[in-house]
């Protein structure tokens, strides 16, 4: 099963889930859907902005040089250090041509962007892809909890004899277990 995890900037939620799924042996990639990668800056109204593809190591260096104490205290440097051990830099979902079996998004706005991207794609192969949203607030604690839910979802899909047939039941079971409402749609490449 080919998996993708997607949040807005491919920094916190998707990378936490990417790392957790990778440790469990899943074939997974992660992405963002925004135009640019945004991280909290020194002041709330002034985010740090990078282009997709900027290496996490470069972001780490930039922020550590700007204010090591602040970015350490807020957890941003730890997050970027974790990210460097998973992959080189953030990638944008809309620029990826890889075909996945399941795409898990981390917020409804991202889910809508992924669904819209599939509607715009012109290279129709007819391959089905399940898009599932697990709503995760964008902070470090919720990213960790959300990664557990995403891992549970992917493990349930993986052990199913026919996840295509069982997916609605799996989603319903996970919703009952976690108290989270999941969104699901079927799209095609």
């Amino acid at each position: 099963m080919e998996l993708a995890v997607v949040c807005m900037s491919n920094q916190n939620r998707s990378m936490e889930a990417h790392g957790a799924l990778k440790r469990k042996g899943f074939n997974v990639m992660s992405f963002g859907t925004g135009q640019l990668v945004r991280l909290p800056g020194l002041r709330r109204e002034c985010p740090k902005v990078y282009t997709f593809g900027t290496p996490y190591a470069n972001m780490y260096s930039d922020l550590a040089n700007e204010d090591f104490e602040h970015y350490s205290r807020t957890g941003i440097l730890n997050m970027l250090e974790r990210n460097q051990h998973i992959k080189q830099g953030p990638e944008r979902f809309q620029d990826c041509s890889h075909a996945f079996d399941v795409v898990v998004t981390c917020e409804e706005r991202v889910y809508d962007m992924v669904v819209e991207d599939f509607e715009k794609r012109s290279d129709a192969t007819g391959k089905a892809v399940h898009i599932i949203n697990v709503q995760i607030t964008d902070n470090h604690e919720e990213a960790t909890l959300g990664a557990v839910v995403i891992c549970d979802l992917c493990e349930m899909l993986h052990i199913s004899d026919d996840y295509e047939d069982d997916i609605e039941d799996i989603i319903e079971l996970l919703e009952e277990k976690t108290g989270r409402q999941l969104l699901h749609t079927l799209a095609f490449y």
Side-chain angles (χ1 to χ4, degrees):
M1 184 170 43
E2 301 271 341
L3 300 170
V5 184
V6 188
C7 68
M8 190 58 75
S9 288
N10 198 199
Q11 290 287 346
N12 185 29
R13 299 165 292 176
S14 62
M15 288 300 290
E16 184 70 34
H18 184 159
L21 289 165
K22 186 176 174 182
R23 285 188 299 277
K24 290 184 176 284
F26 282 97
N27 186 5
V28 60
M29 296 174 71
S30 62
F31 302 92
T33 57
Q35 292 298 319
L36 295 166
V37 174
R38 297 180 192 283
L39 291 170
L42 294 175
R43 296 190 329 262
R44 174 172 269 142
E45 66 277 1
C46 296
K48 297 297 292 184
V49 179
Y50 301 93
T51 57
F52 279 93
T54 302
Y56 293 120
N58 292 14
M59 293 179 205
Y60 183 98
S61 241
D62 180 38
L63 298 179
N65 289 333
E66 182 178 337
D67 191 332
F68 184 84
E69 184 179 314
H70 171 79
Y71 290 112
S72 291
R73 186 177 64 255
T74 60
I76 301 298
L77 293 181
N78 285 340
M79 178 184 73
L80 290 169
E81 191 172 322
R82 173 206 63 205
N83 293 354
Q84 292 177 62
H85 295 291
I86 298 170
K87 65 182 198 175
Q88 183 175 349
E91 299 172 84
R92 192 162 183 266
F93 182 77
Q94 295 91 326
D95 299 333
C96 177
S97 60
H98 190 87
F100 298 98
D101 299 304
V102 177
V103 175
V104 181
T105 61
C106 300
E107 74 176 273
E108 190 169 350
R109 173 174 57 149
V110 172
Y111 173 85
D112 292 340
M113 293 170 85
V114 168
V115 170
E116 181 181 312
D117 181 61
F118 276 101
E119 291 170 353
K120 291 179 180 177
R121 292 183 184 220
S122 60
D123 296 339
T125 64
K127 181 184 183 329
V129 58
H130 292 275
I131 306 167
I132 303 168
N133 186 64
V134 176
Q135 191 68 28
I136 304 169
T137 303
D138 195 4
N139 64 51
H140 300 300
E141 183 179 325
E142 283 295 316
T144 301
L145 296 172
V148 171
V149 174
I150 291 171
C151 283
D152 285 351
L153 169 66
C154 293
E155 287 174 333
M156 292 167 81
L157 293 171
H158 180 71
I159 63 171
S160 170
D161 290 334
D162 185 355
Y163 77 86
E164 295 273 347
D165 261 359
D166 298 339
I167 196 160
E168 291 299 330
D169 293 334
I170 290 169
I171 288 171
E172 186 177 318
L173 186 63
L174 194 61
E175 287 176 331
E176 290 172 10
K177 177 182 174 186
T178 65
R180 294 176 186 248
Q181 179 73 35
L182 278 65
L183 299 175
H184 170 245
T185 193
L186 183 65
F188 297 90
Y189 282 97

